[in-house]
Amino acid sequence: MEPSSNLSWRKDCHSYNDYAVAFSPDRFHKLVTRFCGMKYVRKEDDNRDINTVIDELTSFRLSAKSVNEKDISSFIRHCCSVITPDLGQLSIKCCLLLSYMICRSEVDLDSNLLIQLVKYLTYFVTKFDKWAYPDILQALKAALTGRGGRLPLEVLDDLVTTETGLLHRILFDSESDIMARKSALQCVGAVCLRCEPYMEDFYASQCLNIFLSVLKTRFPKADEFMQCKLLSIALEGIHEVTSNTKTAHGSILGELLAALKAYSFFGRDDPSVHMPTCLQPVHMGPDVPPSLVNPAPPPRPQKKQTKKKTRTRKIRSELTASDDEGGGGDTETISRNSCVDPLPWRQLSESESDYSDTETAAGVTSKYQTFQRRVRQYSLTTLCTVIKASMKRLIFGYWASFFPTGPDDVAGTLAAVLKDETSSRVKTSALAAVAAFLDRSKSALLVATERESSSTTPFTPFSVLLGNMIKELHNTLLTVIKTESSHLTLTQAVKCLSTLINNSPYQKLRPGLLSKSVKLLRPYLSHKDTNIRVAALTSMGAMVTIHAPLIEVSHILLPPTAQENVLEGDSTKSSGEGNSRSSGANSLPSTPPSLSAVDSQAKSRSKGSKDAEVMWLIKTCSRCIFSSSAGATLQLPIRLEALQVLSCLVAGYLPLIRSSLHYLTNIIVEALADADPSVQLHGAKTAESLGRSINKHFQQQELSREGDDSTFSLDEALTFWSCLLSGPLVQALQNSSNSQLRATCCLCLANIGGQVFERIETNQQIVCITMLLGLTSDPEIIVRDAAIRATGVFVLYPCQRLDVSFVADTANAALLSMKDESTPVQIRASWVMANVTDALVLNMASDDFPSFAKSFSDVLLLRLIDVATEACYGDDKMKYNGVRALGNLLKYLQPHTLERRSMSQLIESSVNLLVKWLSQGVMKVRWNASYALGSLLQNDYIVSASAPWLEQVHDGLGLAMKTCKNFKVRINSVQAIQMAATRSKYGSPELFSRIWKNVVEAMNESTNAEDFTDYKHISSLSHQLSKAILHLTSLIESDDLVLLRAVLFGKENTIKSFLEKSPENLDRKVCLSHLNSLEKKGLDAEKLSVVNSLTSILAATDTEVEDEKSLKSTFKPSYD
């Protein structure tokens, strides 16, 4: 069939927007009904009627809100039955109307109708000549848009399969018209658009291969503009596939990255740059299995006859409009924690209306350059998508292809794009790709370092190359920030620098990079553009977070006068290393002074004057939070970001903020009293971060048993908390309209610390306790969770755990919260209940314990046992807290409580439960169960040789120490056995000999570690087993010797080898003394041989091992 010489009707169909009339639902319905009444007849009048109906339907201005989907579906269904290829131009006209209807009405085609329409249009393609392909394919594109995943496998086979698929044949047929190629490529792109469900990975990879082939092909009949359009469509298709599936591109990742890299320089040909057809990954990190480096292509899915449900979807409007849509705005607020994002696809293209007058050569050149820039931008945006969709350890192997390793290696890398590109949009997309490379790469960059300038080795290690990449990226981004005028691109550049700072190991690099960055970014902290200001604050937050405390950052944060004093007091020894430094207040020597010098300088400044100089970053954040000029308003993102920077600063650099503590406290107080709820919330988070940092400092000081207040004094902490508790924090706790604020304030109170809480005023202590106990019944889940956690922290404070009333109130609150409807609150309550039992056990060592035990309610104690038992059957997180609580309660039980009825039965059931969870469940539950059984064995009031469950306890511990895969459980089990201080707690001679046998067998199994991470625990296990042997030896009685003979037979060398590694000489002497006393009791020959055997083992090891300090076990119970 040949086209008519007069094709004005085709122009009319395409220009319906110019002549469309107002939509009339009734008229439209009548026309569709009239059309559906026509039958398959080939009379001239019938064709004329069909043509008239199509013309009238085309004239309507359709929209998704006005049209009836049933009318559209009926028209499409009848069209597939009545309109046949033999109608010629009328058939093509109908295809254009179908495209118009589907796009404008956004109709939801059910699966059967979709399959019918796709097969119908595919049949049209096979029956018409090539001149009609573009119009038919436009209708096919409209039908496929966003519906590719709903097509059956055989239809996808016919469309996109390489070599045999219809669209592939049209694309790469040497006789195909260029417009037909473009329409076919658009159809492939329409299949790849996001939909639910998405198509199988096999067909996604087939589409990717088509797009990649287009990128590698120069079509002979395409001019420069059409070639750019084809490239743009292919790049957008790759973007869609890789953003919707994470594995389809795995087998062609190297080729794909090579193509995207090449088109990042499209139109900017540099003969010195070599662009390979396939990039090969460099081994730059942890071992990657070959199957991940070059994974096999996805297998072809088996065809199944499945009936798919109809889903309602929102389809893109105006799909038949021009491919080049208008650009979007230039400003967009960027969130703090997000990676730099590329521009949306709808904002990538630039309108062609600006180039409508292109008759001159200059106009044509300008338009072509715009098309080239668009290809570069599409390529970089797609590169960003591919990076995000790929595994980080795979992408890391391609870093060397995209980043320079030195100043002379910039050509052909993303750094060249950032430095030489003239289009701000292209540069923004390149920044997004760089940020995608950098995001979550901290573990890979940890090996980076810098080579000393004096080194002349011919081989450059990989770690040095990586360090050079980081340095060049820094320099490139700083250059972009200096020279860029577009606010959007500048914002993206600063955000990209923040991502680089977040992931770089500055502790292994020579100082200077951060100093130059801060010097450049400080002016932007007061920039008029909100996004730039927020991005600059984000970079500051990243700087004070990364590897804190960092020496270079400490000098950056100090005021200029303090820097000069510190630098003069600690002069540098190294020079001439070729490491240039920035001049000014933030410049540093090549070898910075020690952090202790910085701390001592901060201390002298804080004590030297009352008005010590406040850190410049704190002052800057204060100006960002509170406007200094009357009538000026600050954007909320700036205020929140500044508060987040302060939170990061106080978490890592507590020594440096000492002189600014009063100033910082005022900022927090004003933020808590601010009218904006978000500012109040972030102010509370800053207070929480500062409180946590102070509390952590005092905890470390207590562990090291140092009373030095050179870093932070208790009086300063007391002043800070007294200021908060005098009003603003309490008012925030009572803010009934902001649940997140109340929860954060509860977490803030949990960081007071026992030393500070003991010294604050009594009325403030009462307020804290009263508020927290009241908030445990708050209507909001997050508030209840935070409040009950804070009470669980308070109950372990030395000044509070002896308060019977507070301990009882906390226990009752925990028991009540255990019945909460929220599972997280129940888990938190179980943790608090376990902390209450910890407090009970800790009180046993106090001189006031008798009065405490007498005052503490037995009824409440029994309730705690019952609830802890119930928790052992709950969620795993509740279970290990319940097991911990149960062990503490069994250790705490006193004689007056044991006199109660049915107490022995309760104890027996609790012990059976602990033994059960020692042998099954998650490892933390088993670990806590072994520790709980050790606590049980320490209670002299309930453990005796006649206890019916004693044998079960020791057998369970023996089995765990021999067979458990987790070495922590083994070690805790061995430690638990040693908790029995008297011989009676080991039961009969038969049980005692079994315990001996279990320990000896555990020695033989102590080196059998299935997990590589357990090898570091072997020495600890061996040490504990040696201690157990010595402890058991010190308790041997004469009745035990007969049965021990069989246990020791042939095991002397094993025991001796373990004891040789243990430095417990004092215990050996105790054991030898005990054995000598047994020998003097007149033993028979059999028993005497056992004593002599043990004596020879201990005597031999005693002479070989010097007296050393006992090793401390690295395994102590740690909770929360």
Side-chain angles (χ1 to χ4, degrees):
M1 285 169 281
E2 294 294 332
S4 172
S5 58
N6 183 10
L7 296 181
S8 60
W9 56 270
R10 182 182 298 178
K11 179 181 178 181
D12 292 339
C13 288
H14 280 293
S15 58
Y16 51 78
N17 281 327
D18 297 332
Y19 305 103
V21 297
F23 180 74
S24 173
D26 294 337
R27 179 59 181 165
F28 186 83
H29 178 71
K30 290 179 181 179
L31 288 172
V32 172
T33 304
R34 176 183 171 188
F35 178 78
C36 292
M38 298 178 181
K39 298 182 180 179
Y40 180 78
V41 182
R42 285 298 171 264
K43 295 181 180 179
E44 186 175 350
D45 294 340
D46 295 332
N47 293 346
R48 189 181 301 110
D49 290 343
I50 293 174
N51 189 59
T52 302
V53 171
I54 290 177
D55 286 340
E56 288 197 49
L57 290 174
T58 305
S59 65
F60 284 117
R61 187 180 294 111
L62 299 180
S63 65
K65 296 181 180 179
S66 58
V67 73
N68 188 342
E69 288 193 5
K70 292 184 178 179
D71 290 340
I72 300 292
S73 299
S74 300
F75 178 82
I76 295 174
R77 188 173 287 107
H78 195 67
C79 185
C80 295
S81 304
V82 175
I83 306 301
T84 55
D86 59 339
L87 295 180
Q89 297 176 0
L90 184 59
S91 302
I92 304 303
K93 195 174 185 179
C94 184
C95 289
L96 294 175
L97 178 58
L98 286 174
S99 175
Y100 171 53
M101 277 189 172
I102 295 173
C103 294
R104 297 287 295 182
S105 65
E106 299 181 5
V107 62
D108 181 31
L109 303 177
D110 62 70
S111 298
N112 294 330
L113 181 58
L114 174 64
I115 296 171
Q116 182 183 2
L117 179 59
V118 171
K119 289 184 176 180
Y120 170 74
L121 294 173
T122 305
Y123 174 72
F124 261 44
V125 173
T126 60
K127 294 300 180 182
F128 271 94
D129 289 337
K130 291 181 174 57
W131 64 268
Y133 283 3
D135 297 322
I136 301 174
L137 292 175
Q138 281 298 316
L140 181 61
K141 169 194 167 186
L144 293 173
T145 300
R147 304 179 181 92
R150 295 167 55 189
L151 295 174
L153 302 184
E154 60 270 12
V155 175
L156 287 173
D157 273 336
D158 296 338
L159 289 176
V160 298
T161 306
T162 307
E163 305 298 341
T164 60
L166 173 68
L167 299 177
H168 184 276
R169 292 202 310 270
I170 296 175
L171 261 172
F172 299 103
D173 187 357
S174 59
E175 298 180 1
S176 292
D177 179 70
I178 191 61
M179 293 303 297
R181 296 182 197 269
K182 177 186 173 184
S183 298
L185 189 59
Q186 287 176 331
C187 288
V188 180
V191 173
C192 299
L193 290 178
R194 180 182 297 275
C195 64
E196 291 294 337
Y198 201 68
M199 60 181 163
E200 300 282 349
D201 281 356
F202 171 78
Y203 296 104
S205 65
Q206 294 293 306
C207 294
L208 271 181
N209 287 327
I210 292 176
F211 294 136
L212 192 57
S213 299
V214 171
L215 295 181
K216 295 179 178 180
T217 304
R218 181 65 171 91
F219 295 102
K221 299 180 182 179
D223 59 13
E224 290 81 358
F225 298 102
M226 182 56 67
Q227 183 69 23
C228 289
K229 288 184 179 181
L230 292 175
L231 294 175
S232 300
I233 297 170
L235 290 169
E236 184 174 2
I238 295 173
H239 167 81
E240 289 292 340
V241 174
T242 52
S243 61
N244 286 289
T245 177
K246 306 299 182 183
T247 57
H249 64 285
S251 59
I252 56 170
L253 182 59
E255 295 180 72
L256 191 56
L257 292 176
L260 295 176
K261 178 182 177 181
Y263 281 105
S264 299
F265 297 89
F266 184 72
R268 297 175 59 247
D269 296 332
D270 186 352
S272 64
V273 178
H274 172 65
M275 293 296 177
T277 57
C278 180
L279 297 180
Q280 298 298 329
V282 181
H283 185 70
M284 301 178 67
D287 289 334
V288 180
S291 60
L292 293 179
V293 178
N294 294 303
R300 180 190 292 269
Q302 296 180 356
K303 300 179 182 179
K304 298 179 180 179
Q305 297 295 331
T306 58
K307 185 177 181 180
K308 299 183 180 179
K309 296 182 179 180
T310 304
R311 301 175 184 266
T312 304
R313 294 175 179 82
K314 185 80 174 175
I315 309 301
R316 284 189 185 179
S317 60
E318 308 266 0
L319 284 178
T320 54
S322 174
D323 300 313
D324 307 308
E325 301 173 356
D330 285 340
T331 60
E332 181 181 350
T333 302
I334 303 175
S335 62
R336 169 184 174 85
N337 294 323
S338 63
C339 180
V340 179
D341 292 327
L343 291 173
W345 277 102
R346 291 182 179 273
Q347 296 185 10
L348 290 181
S349 58
E350 302 177 34
S351 175
E352 291 184 18
S353 60
D354 298 335
Y355 306 95
S356 57
D357 186 13
T358 57
E359 298 301 326
T360 64
V364 173
T365 302
S366 178
K367 182 178 179 181
Y368 182 48
Q369 290 175 351
T370 300
F371 274 60
Q372 290 176 330
R373 285 197 299 270
R374 191 177 307 158
V375 171
R376 296 199 297 271
Q377 189 176 2
Y378 280 18
S379 177
L380 289 166
T381 306
T382 305
L383 175 63
C384 179
T385 306
V386 172
I387 295 168
K388 290 181 177 180
S390 304
M391 295 176 63
K392 279 295 174 183
R393 57 179 178 174
L394 294 183
I395 287 295
F396 192 58
Y398 296 95
W399 271 46
S401 301
F402 289 92
F403 296 130
T405 56
D408 300 330
D409 191 30
V410 175
T413 64
L414 290 177
V417 177
L418 294 176
K419 288 183 176 180
D420 303 334
E421 181 60 57
T422 57
S423 170
S424 61
R425 291 194 171 194
V426 178
K427 198 177 294 185
T428 302
S429 298
L431 288 167
V434 172
F437 272 111
L438 293 172
D439 188 36
R440 294 181 290 111
S441 61
K442 182 181 294 186
S443 59
L445 294 178
L446 278 176
V447 298
T449 186
E450 279 193 82
R451 172 183 286 173
E452 296 294 334
S453 57
S454 58
S455 176
T456 57
T457 56
F459 172 72
T460 303
F462 157 69
S463 58
V464 174
L465 290 177
L466 205 53
N468 292 340
M469 286 184 193
I470 295 175
K471 185 176 179 179
E472 289 303 318
L473 273 176
H474 260 284
N475 295 333
T476 301
L477 291 175
L478 294 179
T479 302
V480 173
I481 294 173
K482 284 180 184 178
T483 58
E484 187 56 45
S485 59
S486 169
H487 284 185
L488 179 59
T489 306
L490 182 58
T491 303
Q492 299 281 52
V494 178
K495 289 290 290 183
C496 189
L497 179 62
S498 174
T499 306
L500 177 60
I501 293 174
N502 261 325
N503 293 278
S504 298
Y506 293 99
Q507 75 279 12
K508 295 185 177 181
L509 305 177
R510 289 201 296 269
L513 294 177
L514 288 175
S515 301
K516 291 190 289 185
S517 302
V518 172
K519 182 180 179 181
L520 183 63
L521 290 176
R522 283 187 68 171
Y524 294 108
L525 293 173
S526 56
H527 199 277
K528 62 180 180 180
D529 186 88
T530 300
N531 289 333
I532 295 176
R533 204 167 176 181
V534 171
L537 285 169
T538 302
S539 297
M540 294 298 169
M543 179 193 66
V544 298
T545 303
I546 185 72
H547 300 291
L550 206 60
I551 298 176
E552 182 182 5
V553 176
S554 300
H555 283 272
I556 292 172
L557 294 176
L558 285 175
T561 55
Q563 287 188 24
E564 293 171 4
N565 294 336
V566 173
L567 297 180
E568 289 174 3
D570 193 346
S571 58
T572 59
K573 297 180 180 179
S574 59
S575 60
E577 291 185 317
N579 191 25
S580 61
R581 292 291 178 265
S582 304
S583 60
N586 292 330
S587 61
L588 294 174
S590 57
T591 303
S594 63
L595 189 57
S596 61
V598 181
D599 292 348
S600 61
Q601 183 67 27
K603 175 187 173 183
S604 63
R605 287 188 293 112
S606 63
K607 291 185 177 181
S609 64
K610 294 182 180 179
D611 300 325
E613 191 170 359
V614 178
M615 188 184 300
W616 66 266
L617 184 57
I618 296 179
K619 284 184 177 180
T620 302
C621 291
S622 178
R623 289 193 296 269
C624 292
I625 300 168
F626 309 107
S627 176
S628 57
S629 58
T633 57
L634 290 167
Q635 295 290 334
L636 184 60
I638 298 175
R639 305 183 69 190
L640 302 185
E641 194 68 31
L643 284 168
Q644 291 189 56
V645 172
L646 290 180
S647 298
C648 298
L649 174 64
V650 300
Y653 294 89
L654 183 65
L656 300 185
I657 68 168
R658 188 176 188 182
S659 62
S660 310
L661 182 63
H662 180 69
Y663 193 89
L664 187 60
T665 304
N666 291 335
I667 293 176
I668 294 173
V669 170
E670 290 185 34
L672 288 172
D674 197 88
D676 193 292
S678 299
V679 176
Q680 294 178 2
L681 177 61
H682 282 74
K685 289 182 177 180
T686 304
E688 180 200 356
S689 181
L690 179 54
R692 187 189 310 114
S693 184
I694 295 173
N695 188 28
K696 182 180 178 181
H697 163 71
F698 287 124
Q699 287 177 348
Q700 292 175 347
Q701 204 175 67
E702 186 177 359
L703 290 175
S704 60
R705 297 179 180 178
E706 295 178 359
D708 183 21
D709 63 346
S710 60
T711 304
F712 214 87
S713 68
L714 195 58
D715 290 338
E716 290 169 323
L718 185 61
T719 302
F720 167 70
W721 282 110
S722 298
C723 184
L724 288 185
L725 294 173
S726 61
L729 195 62
V730 177
Q731 293 174 4
L733 282 168
Q734 296 172 333
N735 189 330
S736 58
S737 61
N738 194 336
S739 59
Q740 286 189 336
L741 177 61
R742 298 200 303 278
T744 304
C745 289
C746 290
L747 298 176
C748 183
L749 287 179
N751 291 313
I752 292 181
Q755 298 183 49
V756 177
F757 189 80
E758 187 177 2
R759 288 169 174 79
I760 63 175
E761 297 179 5
T762 305
N763 61 334
Q764 291 180 338
Q765 291 182 357
I766 295 174
V767 168
C768 291
I769 293 171
T770 305
M771 294 293 296
L772 289 176
L773 290 174
L775 289 173
T776 56
S777 302
D778 193 271
E780 297 294 334
I781 293 175
I782 57 173
V783 180
R784 296 199 300 272
D785 181 82
I788 195 67
R789 180 190 181 277
T791 58
V793 174
F794 274 35
V795 79
L796 292 177
Y797 289 168
C799 61
Q800 290 301 118
R801 67 171 183 247
L802 285 171
D803 185 342
V804 177
S805 299
F806 176 69
V807 175
D809 289 341
T810 303
N812 284 319
L815 295 176
L816 183 62
S817 298
M818 287 288 289
K819 300 177 182 178
D820 197 277
E821 59 183 8
S822 170
T823 301
V825 175
Q826 293 178 8
I827 294 172
R828 184 68 69 187
S830 68
W831 175 80
V832 174
M833 178 182 64
N835 277 14
V836 170
T837 62
D838 279 342
L840 296 178
V841 171
L842 289 172
N843 287 341
M844 296 174 68
S846 173
D847 296 336
D848 298 330
F849 175 68
S851 61
F852 177 90
K854 185 177 179 180
S855 304
F856 196 77
S857 171
D858 287 347
V859 176
L860 180 56
L861 196 61
L862 294 177
R863 284 184 60 202
L864 286 171
I865 295 176
D866 290 338
V867 176
T869 303
E870 293 177 6
C872 292
Y873 292 100
D875 181 87
D876 280 340
K877 293 183 179 179
M878 292 179 62
K879 192 178 297 179
Y880 58 68
N881 286 323
V883 167
R884 177 163 69 101
L886 204 55
N888 287 332
L889 291 169
L890 291 175
K891 180 179 180 179
Y892 175 82
L893 289 176
Q894 299 300 304
H896 64 273
T897 309
L898 295 173
E899 294 174 0
R900 287 181 169 269
R901 295 177 57 186
S902 69
M903 199 64 198
S904 59
Q905 183 179 356
L906 182 61
I907 293 174
E908 185 174 358
S909 62
S910 299
V911 171
N912 292 336
L913 194 58
L914 292 178
V915 174
K916 172 186 175 182
W917 293 124
L918 177 62
S919 59
Q920 57 183 289
V922 297
M923 288 305 168
K924 188 166 184 179
V925 174
R926 301 177 69 177
W927 180 17
N928 282 3
S930 61
Y931 189 84
L933 290 173
S935 300
L936 165 69
L937 293 175
Q938 296 179 58
N939 193 331
D940 297 332
Y941 301 118
I942 60 176
V943 181
S944 63
S946 60
W949 38 261
L950 186 61
E951 186 173 344
Q952 186 181 3
V953 169
H954 283 293
D955 288 343
L957 290 172
L959 183 64
M961 77 171 73
K962 291 188 299 183
T963 61
C964 186
K965 295 180 180 179
N966 188 281
F967 270 52
K968 292 182 180 181
V969 177
R970 290 197 193 185
I971 294 170
N972 265 1
S973 299
V974 180
Q975 287 178 326
I977 285 180
Q978 302 172 50
M979 293 297 104
T982 59
R983 173 62 184 82
S984 61
K985 294 182 180 180
Y986 289 99
S988 64
E990 290 79 8
L991 177 58
F992 190 67
S993 65
R994 283 211 306 275
I995 295 172
W996 262 88
K997 182 179 179 182
N998 289 333
V999 174
V1000 174
E1001 290 179 355
M1003 288 180 170
N1004 293 327
E1005 300 292 332
S1006 61
T1007 57
N1008 297 335
E1010 296 184 4
D1011 192 347
F1012 179 77
T1013 58
D1014 286 330
Y1015 278 95
K1016 61 183 178 182
H1017 303 314
I1018 290 179
S1019 60
S1020 296
L1021 177 59
S1022 301
H1023 175 65
Q1024 290 300 326
L1025 288 170
S1026 299
K1027 288 184 64 177
I1029 287 291
L1030 294 174
H1031 179 71
L1032 293 174
T1033 302
S1034 66
L1035 299 177
I1036 292 176
E1037 295 180 352
S1038 58
D1039 295 339
D1040 303 322
L1041 294 173
V1042 176
L1043 294 175
L1044 284 179
R1045 183 179 183 184
V1047 175
L1048 295 174
F1049 182 75
K1051 306 296 183 183
E1052 292 86 352
N1053 292 332
T1054 301
I1055 299 174
K1056 186 184 297 183
S1057 63
F1058 268 78
L1059 294 180
E1060 287 174 355
K1061 302 174 185 177
S1062 177
E1064 306 294 338
N1065 271 9
L1066 184 61
D1067 291 344
R1068 285 190 182 86
K1069 293 177 180 178
V1070 173
C1071 293
L1072 287 171
S1073 176
H1074 178 67
L1075 292 174
N1076 290 334
S1077 63
L1078 285 177
E1079 190 175 358
K1080 294 177 182 179
K1081 290 184 179 181
L1083 304 177
D1084 57 28
E1086 185 178 8
K1087 293 181 180 180
L1088 190 60
S1089 64
V1090 177
V1091 173
N1092 292 335
S1093 177
L1094 288 172
T1095 303
S1096 63
I1097 294 174
L1098 294 174
T1101 56
D1102 188 35
T1103 57
E1104 296 176 3
V1105 180
E1106 296 181 358
D1107 219 356
E1108 298 179 9
K1109 185 179 179 180
S1110 299
L1111 292 175
K1112 294 182 179 179
S1113 173
T1114 57
F1115 301 96
K1116 296 182 180 179
S1118 57
Y1119 308 104
D1120 192 24

